[in-house]
Amino acid sequence: MNETVKYFLDESRIPKAWYNIQADLPKPAPAVLHPGTHKPVGPDDLAPLFPMELILQEVTQEREVPIPEPVREVYRQWRPSPLYRARRLEKVLQTPARIYYKYEGVSPAGSHKPNTAVAQAFYNQQAGVKRLITETGAGQWGSSLAFAGALFGLDVQIFMVRVSYDQKPYRRALMETYGARCVASPSNETESGRAILAKDPNHPGSLGIAISEAVELAVQRDDTKYALGSVLNHVLLHQTVLGLEAIAQLEMADDYPDVIVGCTGGGSNFAGIAFPFIGAQLRGGKTVRVVAVEPSACPSLTRGTYAYDFGDTAHLTPLTKMHTLGSTFTPPGFHAGGLRYHGMAPLVSHLKELGLIEATAYRQTKVFEAGVQFARAEGILPAPEANHAVKGAIDEAVRCREEGVSRAILFNLCGHGHFDMQAYMDYFAGKLEDRDYDRAELAMALAGLPSVAEPA
Ligand SMILES: *Cc1c(COP(=O)(O)O)cnc(C)c1O
C-alpha cells in the first residue's frame, strides 16, 4: 500500500471567498457590548481600532465574503496547503481509522496565522493605515503580522508577553528580521504597562495585559490601528480557507470526516478547519462530530463560565459573551504559549452552547507524548499547540480500534514546532510539569466578571 498519500490542489483552487458561519446559525450569536455603556457596539465604536472593511466583516450575515485578489496572490505562496493521509501513524496505532491532517506549517511564519495576517494587513493598507500594533504570546502571531506588514509596507509594533520574550528569542529575531519592533510586555511605553510594573517589576506578563498595551497605543493615533490574531469573527472568517480547501481535498480522497479535531487557544484555527463542515451540516449535509482540544491548565471551554467578559486585563476592549476564565486569570506556565488566553472566540463559544461542538482538555505531558509519536511516524514536528490536536486525533483513532470501527478523522496540524525545540528538550529531560491552574485564582477571576444586563 502507498504510504505517502498527499492531496494537493492546484493554486487555481485557492478559495475565492471565505465562509461566514453566521449566515447558517439557527440562532444568532449574542451582541458585542460597549465596555462603558453596556449597549451593543456600532461600527463607529470600533473605528479607532480597525479599518471599516474588517468591522463590517465582524457583523456581516453574508454566507460568502470574497477574498480580494491581492490577498489570494499572497496566499499562492503556500496555499492550498497540503492534506495528508496519516497512513504511517495509522499503522503504528493499528487502527482501522482513516486519519487525515491539514498542514499549515508550510506558511512563511510556520502556522495558520498568516491566513488572517495577510488579509488584515491588506485591508489596513487600503484604508491608508501606516502602522499596526498588536500583542503576541509565543510569537506566532507577531511573526505572522510582521511578515504581512513587510509585504504591504506597514510598520508593525508588537507587545510580546515577557516570559515568551525571554524564552523565545528566535521568534523575536524573526519578527525583527521582517522589520517589526518587538517590546516585552508589561512595558514602560503604556499606562497599563506602567501600572502593572509599579506593583511588580518582574511581572511575567499575559496576553490580556499585552492586548491592553496594544489597544491603548493604537487608539492614540489616526494612522495607527490594532490587529488581533484570533477570537474575533473576522479572524475566524479568514481561517475558513482551511476547511474549504479540506472539503475539496477530501473529495479527491472520496471521503468525508466523521470526526474533526482542532486545538483551541482563541479558537481561530479550530473554526477555520471546522466551520465549513458545520455549515454544510446546518444546511442539511452530513453530521460531523467536532472536538475542540484545549490545555487542562487553561481550560476556557471545559471549565470556564459562559458570560460577558473583557478581552483584556485593563478592560479597554468591548464585552463579548464567551467561555471565559475571567480577564484577570493568569494560567500557570506551560509550553503551548498560543493556548494561554483566558477567553474563547464568541462564535466558538456560541456553537458549544448550541451543542454543535464538544470540548476536551489534556495535560501537557500527554500532549507531547502524542506529538513525539506523530513526529516519529509522519516526520513533521508539530508546534506544542498543534500537539493538542494530535493527541485528540490519536485518542479518536484508538477508540476506533477498541470499537472495531473505521471512521474518518480530520485534524488540523496548525503549525510546525521548529522554534519550540526547548519545549521538546524539556519534555525529553523529564522537566515538563503538569501544573494545575490555581483554583482559588480562577474562582476570584470568575467572581470579578462584569455584571451585565443582557440586551433582549
Ligand atoms: C496562535 C496559535 C494557536 C492558537 O490560536 P487559535 O486562534 O486557537 O488557533 C494554535 N496553534 C498555533 C500554531 C498558533 O500559532
Side-chain angles (χ1 to χ4, degrees):
M1 191 172 16
N2 190 352
E3 293 210 324
T4 301
V5 186
K6 178 165 92 170
Y7 299 97
F8 206 77
L9 291 173
D10 187 76
E11 42 181 69
S12 68
R13 304 287 300 276
I14 296 171
K16 297 206 163 59
W18 293 296
Y19 166 67
N20 177 21
I21 199 165
Q22 297 191 70
D24 291 316
L25 289 176
K27 187 178 157 205
V32 175
L33 307 181
H34 189 281
T37 63
H38 292 192
K39 297 250 163 58
V41 295
D44 290 346
D45 295 316
L46 297 173
L49 291 176
F50 305 110
M52 200 45 75
E53 266 314 303
L54 291 176
I55 295 172
L56 296 176
Q57 289 183 1
E58 234 5 65
V59 294
T60 180
Q61 301 292 310
E62 292 294 321
R63 182 173 291 125
E64 297 200 331
V65 176
I67 305 178
E69 224 21 71
V71 173
R72 289 185 80 236
E73 183 57 30
V74 179
Y75 280 177
R76 279 181 50 219
Q77 190 185 354
W78 71 94
R79 306 215 69 84
S81 68
L83 179 95
Y84 295 94
R85 169 95 182 254
R87 286 243 203 237
R88 293 186 179 87
L89 180 66
E90 291 168 17
K91 209 183 256 179
V92 171
L93 298 173
Q94 300 186 354
T95 176
R98 307 176 312 278
I99 307 175
Y100 298 92
Y101 60 96
K102 181 84 170 148
Y103 183 45
E104 288 295 304
V106 292
S107 81
S111 76
H112 63 287
K113 294 241 168 60
N115 296 331
T116 184
V118 169
Q120 292 189 43
F122 168 76
Y123 289 117
N124 274 286
Q125 184 227 39
Q126 290 288 296
V129 172
K130 300 283 177 253
R131 193 163 68 134
L132 288 176
I133 305 189
T134 194
E135 71 292 324
T136 196
Q140 290 269 19
W141 169 242
S143 37
S144 301
L145 195 70
F147 154 65
L151 293 186
F152 289 97
L154 299 168
D155 282 341
V156 176
Q157 179 173 339
I158 298 154
F159 288 98
M160 185 171 188
V161 175
R162 164 60 77 182
V163 271
S164 304
Y165 185 90
D166 294 335
Q167 278 173 2
K168 308 214 161 172
Y170 297 139
R171 273 280 166 202
R172 202 200 320 158
L174 183 60
M175 293 180 235
E176 286 167 357
T177 304
Y178 287 134
R181 181 166 166 259
C182 185
V183 181
S185 166
S187 80
N188 272 315
E189 301 196 6
T190 65
E191 257 177 57
S192 8
R194 284 190 293 270
I196 288 176
L197 288 177
K199 278 191 233 150
D200 178 1
N202 298 314
H203 197 290
S206 73
L207 272 175
I209 294 168
I211 294 174
S212 296
E213 293 206 88
V215 167
E216 184 185 321
L217 272 198
V219 298
Q220 286 171 10
R221 278 170 56 165
D222 281 346
D223 65 350
T224 303
K225 299 278 185 218
Y226 170 66
L228 189 60
S230 184
V231 177
L232 297 176
N233 299 350
H234 69 260
V235 179
L236 275 51
L237 175 80
H238 300 155
Q239 292 298 351
T240 59
V241 286
L242 271 168
L244 293 167
E245 288 175 8
I247 287 177
Q249 287 163 314
L250 284 168
E251 263 169 29
M252 291 168 75
D254 198 19
D255 212 340
Y256 199 84
D258 298 294
V259 189
I260 299 174
V261 181
C263 70
T264 45
S268 74
N269 88 85
F270 168 79
I273 191 90
F275 280 10
F277 290 93
I278 297 174
Q281 172 186 330
L282 290 170
R283 296 191 304 277
K286 267 201 213 159
T287 303
V288 278
R289 254 187 73 224
V290 180
V291 184
V293 183
E294 60 183 13
S296 53
C298 192
S300 54
L301 271 176
T302 51
R303 295 294 176 83
T305 300
Y306 185 54
Y308 273 100
D309 196 9
F310 294 97
D312 72 319
T313 313
H315 298 177
L316 304 174
T317 69
L319 290 158
T320 53
K321 194 159 184 190
M322 59 181 174
H323 288 88
T324 179
L325 300 165
S327 62
T328 58
F329 177 79
T330 308
F334 58 91
H335 274 295
L339 308 182
R340 291 183 82 240
Y341 187 58
H342 68 273
M344 182 51 59
L347 278 174
V348 172
S349 298
H350 184 58
L351 290 192
K352 174 87 180 350
E353 287 304 295
L354 293 174
L356 290 166
I357 63 167
E358 304 167 21
T360 181
Y362 291 112
R363 293 171 176 276
Q364 67 172 350
T365 48
K366 289 287 164 206
V367 156
F368 271 84
E369 189 182 300
V372 170
Q373 187 174 41
F374 180 85
R376 287 177 187 175
E378 295 290 318
I380 296 173
L381 183 117
E385 293 84 4
N387 282 343
H388 290 73
V390 171
K391 170 67 177 158
I394 287 180
D395 275 13
E396 290 294 333
V398 168
R399 198 166 307 141
C400 287
R401 180 180 72 210
E402 289 165 358
E403 293 173 8
V405 288
S406 171
R407 294 189 195 100
I409 301 165
L410 168 66
F411 76 93
N412 188 35
L413 192 66
C414 50
H416 68 63
H418 297 174
F419 287 92
D420 304 283
M421 295 319 294
Q422 187 60 48
Y424 280 89
M425 282 164 68
D426 289 351
Y427 170 71
F428 291 127
K431 286 199 280 195
L432 276 202
E433 288 174 53
D434 285 324
R435 284 208 281 156
D436 238 334
Y437 58 87
D438 183 329
R439 271 153 219 274
E441 196 199 329
L442 175 60
M444 222 158 71
L446 287 176
L449 283 177
S451 112
V452 174
E454 286 200 31

